[in-house]
Amino acid sequence: MRTIASLCALSTLGLATVGTAQWNQIQTLNAPTARAGAVAAYDTTRGETVLFGGEVGFSLSNETWVYDGSDWTQKTTTTQPSGRAEAAMVMNPAGNVLLYGGNAGGGPWGGPANDETWQWDGTSWTMLTPAATPGGLTRAGSAYDIARGRMVIYGGLADSAFPIASASTWEFDGATWTQSAATGPGAREGVAMCYDSNRGKVVMFGGVDPQVGGFGDTWEFDGTAWTRLMVTGPIARSRAKMVFDSNRNTCVLFGGSDTTNGNLFTDTWEFDGTSWTQLATGGLAGRGVPAAAYDPAGGHTILFGGIDSSFAANN
């Protein structure tokens, strides 16, 4: 069965009742094969969710798919990034999807992360050649700062076979990558990140430092400094997914892995810039490293694939 799950917040239909958001499984005629670690971004210019890559069995995919709200279509291009998983991908409001890094394989536990920057224009991929780069990262958090016109990434791993997390903030302005002088939350990978366009802040939650343990803290980045927010919310986890619901001005976070035992979370949370609220959504089992994006036209958070508690990938 080829499926996709979406989070439909009923308040987008005019209902004010709190806690009525629900995950719904959508049947599609076509879909990418089962995979984990694919990445997604919503293309506001063409009104479709773009999905790239992921781990399919023991191989890394370099497929590009788009979802128009009804069905999936695979895009055939003459040039495309090589297969990779857990890259960073965001939408540039100028009309392009930006892709950076990812796990490029290299052994049973991975290897050096990819250091390429690519751009998707709805038809073809173009590899960009910035003068400076982060040097290759996978499992980095990513978001696009609309106000400042920059792709922002934080943390990640330079080599997944040697899990030493980065503590750096990098920004891509369309021409080159620049390391920010801002002091960040410290070394971690697998953070959840999104851009709150209502408040003009990059929001980050959780992650793990393989040398120390997991985090359950919430941070904001205004382009100059990182600030920890003294709020209570989800418990510590890594590799959760977070998107910004621009219709309701809230960050939506789903799942992730327990950093103490590896169990997958099934909870869904929202952060409105002041406090976290857990939603009683139900209907979606825990899964690791799915792809996620927010569709502002439909008012849905789109989630695809990932692995379940038995380590089986799904679609």
Side-chain angles (χ1 to χ4, degrees):
M1 182 183 298
R2 293 173 172 176
T3 57
I4 183 170
S6 71
L7 175 65
C8 179
L10 298 188
S11 59
T12 62
L13 302 179
L15 300 180
T17 304
V18 176
T20 53
Q22 180 67 41
W23 286 103
N24 300 299
Q25 192 174 44
I26 299 174
Q27 308 297 327
T28 60
L29 180 62
N30 301 288
T33 53
R35 64 193 61 204
V39 288
Y42 186 78
D43 184 337
T44 53
T45 301
R46 284 159 282 275
E48 56 194 18
T49 299
V50 182
L51 181 142
F52 180 80
E55 186 173 355
V56 180
F58 295 100
S59 301
L60 294 173
S61 170
N62 69 341
E63 296 173 346
T64 303
W65 290 78
V66 297
Y67 176 66
D68 63 5
S70 299
D71 202 10
W72 286 96
T73 301
Q74 185 176 1
K75 294 290 189 176
T76 302
T77 61
T78 56
T79 302
Q80 63 276 320
S82 58
R84 64 197 65 186
E86 297 191 79
M89 192 160 86
V90 300
M91 176 64 193
N92 177 340
N96 300 308
V97 171
L98 298 172
L99 175 79
Y100 175 75
N103 174 15
W109 305 109
N114 192 284
D115 189 33
E116 296 171 350
T117 304
W118 288 79
Q119 179 174 280
W120 169 256
D121 63 5
T123 303
S124 60
W125 284 101
T126 301
M127 187 168 75
L128 307 181
T129 56
T133 72
L137 289 168
T138 186
R139 299 187 193 174
S142 62
Y144 192 85
D145 185 328
I146 298 173
R148 298 189 305 120
R150 286 168 167 77
M151 178 180 182
V152 180
I153 63 174
Y154 186 84
L157 298 173
D159 191 326
S160 51
F162 298 94
I164 299 175
S166 168
S168 298
T169 305
W170 286 85
E171 298 183 331
F172 180 66
D173 63 3
T176 191
W177 286 94
T178 303
Q179 185 174 355
S180 172
T183 299
R188 58 183 73 185
E189 48 100 344
V191 302
M193 270 174 59
C194 69
Y195 178 72
D196 182 338
S197 57
N198 181 53
R199 298 184 303 117
K201 304 286 182 64
V202 171
V203 179
M204 182 173 74
F205 176 81
V208 61
D209 180 347
Q211 314 303 315
V212 177
F215 303 96
D217 47 2
T218 305
W219 292 76
E220 284 186 345
F221 181 61
D222 62 4
T224 301
W226 284 98
T227 302
R228 182 176 180 180
L229 305 182
M230 296 296 108
V231 294
T232 301
I235 64 173
R237 64 193 63 196
S238 69
R239 299 158 91 180
K241 292 296 178 178
M242 187 162 67
V243 301
F244 184 69
D245 180 337
S246 56
N247 286 310
R248 294 183 302 117
N249 292 326
T250 184
C251 301
V252 180
L253 181 143
F254 171 75
S257 301
D258 190 315
T259 54
T260 61
N261 56 28
N263 290 339
L264 300 175
F265 290 104
T266 62
D267 49 354
T268 303
W269 292 76
E270 291 186 337
F271 179 67
D272 62 5
T274 302
S275 60
W276 284 99
T277 302
Q278 184 175 359
L279 303 180
T281 57
L284 179 60
R287 59 184 64 186
V289 289
Y294 182 71
D295 173 357
H300 308 293
T301 293
I302 305 297
L303 185 143
F304 178 84
I307 56 173
D308 60 25
S309 57
S310 65
F311 299 102
N314 71 78
N315 69 337

